């Protein structure tokens, strides 16, 4: 396997998606018997025949919860991938993500509680909640308000380095390999089922900020794009329960 900032490989002359469509070592793919139902936001694993499918071809409706530069780049990516971002939820009305959404004509909601997102802040008829650099917990009622629950990006190879400061802990622990995970939002922090993962090498002497900017932020955008593309094709979200014996 190659580092995460290497170019995409090609097979039969066609570009290969990194995180979901074509699996490789270091990348998680869950399809078929492990396709996610995704109705309640819980990591329920069902057969492919039982996976919930959208009844029509209308674009998936997304509520994006996030902030700062990663929130903005995620918003831009989503708008290029055949989905409809119907609302952006922010903790701070002055955040750059709010300004970018308003400029694009997207509805913006400001959290009443910066640490919690509630159902009333999720857009009506939302299919999926996506978090991008959000420090708020997505409440049970909010997850239940979205047809397929919610997913987020965590800059570690979950279940390793759950919680805040995952990149900093990667550096502190001297990990030679870092990575990122798209996971399903759940009651416990960073403990939901895994939709996709990828990895990269850590450079000697690299700081947490350098690792984030060089590799982990781009990796997160690529994985989110892969998961969205997967959903657009299969009308379901992949999921695999985390192995608790490796949790830190």
């Amino acid at each position: 396997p190659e580092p995460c900032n290497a170019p995409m490989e090609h097979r039969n002359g066609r570009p290969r998606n990194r995180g979901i469509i074509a699996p490789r070592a270091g990348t998680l793919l869950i399809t078929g018997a492990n396709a996610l139902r995704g109705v309640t936001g819980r990591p329920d694993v069902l057969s492919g025949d039982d996976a919930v499918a959208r009844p029509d071809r209308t674009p998936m409706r997304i509520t994006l919860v996030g902030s700062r530069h990663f929130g903005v780049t995620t918003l831009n990516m989503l708008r290029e991938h055949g989905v409809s971002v119907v609302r952006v939820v922010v903790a701070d009305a002055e955040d750059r993500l709010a300004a970018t959404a308003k400029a694009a004509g997207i509805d913006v909601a400001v959290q009443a509680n910066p640490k919690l997102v509630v159902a009333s802040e999720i857009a009506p008829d939302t299919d999926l909640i996506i978090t991008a650099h959000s420090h708020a917990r997505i409440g049970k009622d909010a997850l239940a308000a979205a047809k397929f629950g919610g997913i987020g990006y965590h800059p570690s190879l979950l279940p390793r380095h759950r919680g805040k400061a995952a990149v900093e802990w990667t550096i502190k622990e001297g990990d030679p390999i870092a990575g990122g995970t798209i996971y399903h939002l759940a009651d416990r922090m960073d403990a939901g089922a895994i939709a996709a993962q990828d990895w990269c090498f850590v450079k000697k002497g690299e700081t947490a900020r350098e690792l984030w900017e060089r590799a982990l932020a781009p990796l997160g955008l690529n994985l989110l794009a892969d998961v969205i593309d997967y959903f657009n094709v299969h009308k379901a979200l992949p999921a695999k329960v985390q192995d608790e014996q490796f949790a830190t």
Side-chain angles (χ1 to χ4, degrees):
E2 79 281 4
C4 64
N5 55 342
M8 288 193 301
E9 297 139 343
H10 289 68
R11 179 175 296 172
N12 298 327
R14 293 173 297 181
R16 194 180 83 175
N17 278 342
R18 298 190 52 81
I20 289 291
I21 304 302
R24 61 175 175 79
T27 301
L28 177 67
L29 169 68
I30 299 90
T31 58
N34 289 332
L36 178 74
R37 183 201 304 257
V39 174
T40 63
R42 298 189 303 268
D44 299 323
V45 179
L46 301 174
S47 71
D49 291 340
D50 290 331
V52 167
R54 289 178 59 81
D56 53 45
R57 295 182 178 275
T58 58
M60 180 164 57
R61 292 170 57 87
I62 300 291
T63 291
L64 175 64
V65 183
S67 69
R68 302 170 65 180
H69 178 71
F70 190 68
V72 171
T73 55
T74 299
L75 173 61
N76 292 336
M77 178 276 293
L78 290 171
R79 297 180 69 201
E80 297 172 354
H81 278 261
V83 299
S84 176
V85 180
V86 292
R87 178 173 291 174
V88 164
V89 180
V90 295
D92 181 0
E94 302 302 316
D95 190 275
R96 71 180 76 176
L97 175 57
T100 302
K102 289 178 181 177
I106 298 171
D107 182 46
V108 175
V110 180
Q111 297 164 224
N113 179 349
K115 296 183 178 180
L116 179 67
V117 175
V118 296
S120 61
E121 294 162 346
I122 303 302
D125 300 317
T126 288
D127 291 312
L128 184 67
I129 300 166
I130 294 179
T131 62
H133 209 149
S134 171
H135 299 295
R137 183 172 65 86
I138 311 300
K140 286 183 179 180
D141 61 335
L143 289 174
K147 182 176 180 180
F148 292 90
I151 58 173
Y153 173 60
H154 188 75
S156 79
L157 291 170
L158 289 174
R160 184 165 175 79
H161 299 318
R162 288 175 178 168
K164 295 180 179 180
V167 186
E168 286 79 359
W169 277 108
T170 297
I171 298 298
K172 288 179 181 178
E173 292 288 304
D175 293 354
I177 290 174
T181 305
I182 306 299
Y183 69 102
H184 291 263
L185 305 179
D187 290 342
R188 294 170 55 208
M189 180 179 289
D190 305 329
I194 294 171
Q197 286 185 314
D198 203 354
W199 66 275
C200 62
F201 292 114
V202 179
K203 291 183 177 180
K204 186 176 181 179
E206 194 165 35
T207 67
R209 180 171 182 175
E210 290 168 344
L211 176 58
W212 167 258
E213 293 179 350
R214 174 185 67 83
L216 295 180
L219 184 152
L221 286 175
N222 289 338
L223 286 178
L224 274 171
D226 284 348
V227 171
I228 294 300
D229 289 344
Y230 180 94
F231 181 91
N232 285 336
V233 172
H234 299 279
K235 309 307 178 189
L237 291 166
K240 183 180 180 180
V241 175
Q242 295 188 33
D243 190 339
E244 291 297 324
Q245 67 176 316
F246 299 112
T248 63

